[in-house]
Amino acid sequence: MDDKEFTDIISLISKQTGIIPRESHQSGIRNFIDKRKKEIKLNGLDYYNYVCLNRQEMDILLNHATVNETYFFREESQFQFLKTKVMPELHTKLALNPLRIWSAAASSGEEIYSLYLLAASLGIKTECMATDINTTVLDKGAEGKYKPNSVKAVDGAKFHYLLSPYMNAEKEVTFPPEVTSKIDRRQINLTKTDAIFPRNVHIVFIRNVFVYFTGEMRKQILQKIVTDSLAPGGYIFLSMNEIATIDSTIIPKGIEKCSEGNVFYLYKKG
């Protein structure tokens, strides 16, 4: 595959997803394509044109190109803040109504399970939603089975007690149907203006995905979340390394950028 074809494929991925793969990410995509070309019959086409003519292959390519690493209780300090302040306060305000939580770039599901388990440990009823553009990782989340690399020795360790009922001696985690059924899952492309976002959400996690988007795309997605999804008094959490890229030029009106110790978040007034 020559450089021009590969550049065209990267542009195609960006057009379909809004994601701009970094150089380190591009090498993985190139390796995947080289391997994939040996597995399929291209019928005389180059891979770029084959993908353009084959919707199923396009989905396979996009699923590979949008895989993100995640693990349980990633960025532990955010979960501590949720435990001590955010969830109890929202629970009090909501009275008997469920706390609505949305993992907007859910990947393989460790994040939404972490949020669900934390709320359940506090006796808080929830409605949890996991969305991603990648259908493969959504299916993995629905299966509820995780290898030891989803449990880190340091980050998140303070909350590993919530995983212990579902963890074996090899640190593999398996959730039973009574847990996996608590998560509503569906495919959403956050970059599409006509995408239907969940409504009346109190906590939105959209972490480790903005780093792949342009400033204008970040602004568009944030505005749509605030307008279509976030309830008054609701919170948006990004990853620690992304929050620095969110400044006044892209923060929607009615949203405050706040901090509590080393935890930064966006808050909708009301």
Side-chain angles (χ1 to χ4, degrees):
M1 179 172 52
D2 61 32
D3 289 342
K4 181 184 182 306
E5 182 189 357
F6 184 66
T7 299
D8 289 343
I9 290 171
I10 294 298
S11 297
L12 181 63
I13 291 170
S14 296
K15 181 179 179 181
Q16 292 291 320
T17 67
I19 291 173
I20 304 173
R22 292 175 292 183
E23 189 171 335
S24 58
H25 191 189
Q26 288 185 26
S27 62
I29 295 172
R30 183 186 283 271
N31 290 338
F32 168 78
I33 293 171
D34 288 341
K35 178 183 176 183
R36 186 68 181 152
K37 286 166 68 176
K38 297 175 183 177
E39 299 172 343
I40 58 179
K41 294 181 179 180
L42 294 174
N43 298 320
L45 297 171
D46 59 30
Y47 188 74
Y48 173 82
N49 284 298
Y50 180 80
V51 168
C52 290
L53 294 170
N54 189 318
R55 181 67 242 184
Q56 184 177 4
E57 187 64 27
M58 175 75 79
D59 290 340
I60 291 171
L61 174 63
L62 296 183
N63 280 348
H64 180 83
T66 55
V67 171
N68 291 310
E69 181 200 18
T70 185
Y71 51 89
F72 292 108
F73 300 101
R74 185 176 187 174
E75 296 188 324
E76 184 178 277
S77 58
Q78 290 185 335
F79 286 92
Q80 186 62 31
F81 179 54
L82 286 168
K83 178 182 178 180
T84 58
K85 178 179 172 62
V86 176
M87 286 186 172
E89 287 188 0
L90 286 172
H91 180 52
T92 299
K93 292 177 182 177
L94 292 169
L96 298 177
N97 294 316
L99 178 64
R100 291 175 56 81
I101 302 172
W102 177 25
S103 175
S107 190
S108 46
E110 288 92 333
E111 180 177 274
I112 194 63
Y113 281 121
S114 298
L115 291 163
Y116 167 75
L117 291 174
L118 179 59
S121 73
L122 299 173
I124 298 174
K125 181 181 178 181
T126 57
E127 291 180 358
C128 293
M129 294 148 282
T131 66
D132 204 282
I133 191 175
N134 187 324
T135 55
T136 299
V137 292
L138 288 174
D139 289 342
K140 176 175 172 54
E143 186 180 22
K145 296 180 179 180
Y146 296 92
K147 295 180 179 180
N149 60 0
S150 289
V151 183
K152 300 302 183 185
V154 179
D155 189 25
K158 186 179 292 185
F159 293 96
H160 286 175
Y161 69 94
L162 297 175
L163 296 171
S164 60
Y166 315 104
M167 189 187 301
N168 63 20
E170 287 72 40
K171 294 192 180 298
E172 296 171 328
V173 175
T174 302
F175 294 116
E178 56 264 31
V179 174
T180 59
S181 63
K182 298 296 184 182
I183 313 301
D184 178 31
R185 300 172 183 83
R186 59 188 172 98
Q187 183 186 34
I188 289 182
N189 185 341
L190 297 171
T191 68
K192 299 299 184 183
T193 56
D194 60 350
I196 299 174
F197 285 9
R199 304 287 183 180
N200 196 35
V201 180
H202 307 108
I203 297 173
V204 178
F205 265 51
I206 179 166
R207 304 190 304 177
N208 304 296
V209 64
F210 274 6
V211 68
Y212 299 108
F213 293 142
T214 64
E216 185 58 35
M217 184 58 69
R218 294 170 191 166
K219 181 178 180 179
Q220 175 185 308
I221 293 171
L222 274 178
Q223 183 63 66
K224 187 170 174 62
I225 289 174
V226 170
T227 302
D228 293 4
S229 298
L230 194 64
Y235 294 76
I236 301 174
F237 289 90
L238 291 86
S239 68
M240 301 287 199
N241 65 329
E242 289 172 314
I243 195 68
T245 68
I246 307 301
D247 58 28
S248 59
T249 63
I250 67 172
I251 294 177
K253 291 182 179 179
I255 294 294
E256 294 179 342
K257 183 178 178 180
C258 308
S259 65
E260 183 88 11
N262 67 339
V263 177
F264 289 83
Y265 57 94
L266 303 178
Y267 178 75
K268 186 173 184 177
K269 302 172 186 177

